[in-house]
Amino acid sequence: MVADLDNFKNANDTYGHDVGDKIINHCGILLKNIFGDKSTFRILGDEYYIFVSKEEFPEMIKQLKIVLDRSEILKEYGVCISIGYFFKSIEMNIFDAFKKANIGMYKAKKIKGNIFYHED
């Protein structure tokens, strides 16, 4: 999965970098609580890569939707998360899989609002 925060730049510019740091830390904690420390990586800025199995994915996404809907910090600053995901085959390399997930994430960003999008 590739996760990116929507409206983060606006919140960071409007409320200051201390609030931006608070949002980044909050999102990292939310994602790591659901997907695990060893599966969740902040790549740069407000973008995260997440590794989970196809079998675990549905339940974890249900949990994530609940947590995101309840997040007062995200609501307060108008930030949400767009996620693109792709289930990698054994034959596919990791870079191509993340390209597909990234395409899905950008499609999710167009929809907005804690959206998850699968890219085939």
Side-chain angles (χ1 to χ4, degrees):
M1 288 183 276
V2 176
D4 189 77
L5 305 184
D6 298 336
N7 202 37
F8 173 75
K9 181 178 178 356
N10 183 54
N12 194 41
D13 292 347
T14 302
Y15 301 105
H17 295 287
D18 56 328
V19 169
D21 291 345
K22 179 180 173 181
I23 293 168
I24 290 287
N25 288 332
H26 176 70
C27 288
I29 290 168
L30 291 179
L31 293 171
K32 286 183 177 197
N33 282 343
I34 299 211
F35 300 109
D37 280 343
K38 294 181 180 181
S39 299
T40 307
F41 303 91
R42 181 173 166 219
I43 300 306
L44 57 102
D46 61 339
E47 188 170 305
Y48 300 84
Y49 282 2
I50 304 162
F51 298 87
V52 295
S53 72
K54 193 173 188 175
E55 295 75 30
E56 295 173 303
F57 181 79
E59 184 57 37
M60 290 178 157
I61 288 297
K62 283 181 195 174
Q63 291 174 26
L64 182 61
K65 286 180 181 181
I66 291 167
V67 169
L68 291 175
D69 287 343
R70 293 180 181 166
S71 172
E72 294 300 321
I73 292 173
L74 297 182
K75 287 179 192 174
E76 180 179 353
Y77 297 108
V79 175
C80 57
I81 298 178
S82 291
I83 295 178
Y85 62 94
F86 182 80
F87 298 117
K88 179 188 160 311
S89 66
I90 293 172
E91 300 83 27
M92 179 179 275
N93 69 55
I94 195 72
F95 300 107
D96 289 341
F98 271 113
K99 282 181 193 175
K100 289 189 174 277
N102 205 48
I103 290 167
M105 185 269 299
Y106 279 106
K107 288 183 178 180
K109 280 185 148 320
K110 290 180 184 177
I111 301 168
K112 299 187 181 179
N114 294 330
I115 299 296
F116 310 91
Y117 191 93
H118 177 254
E119 179 58 31
D120 291 318

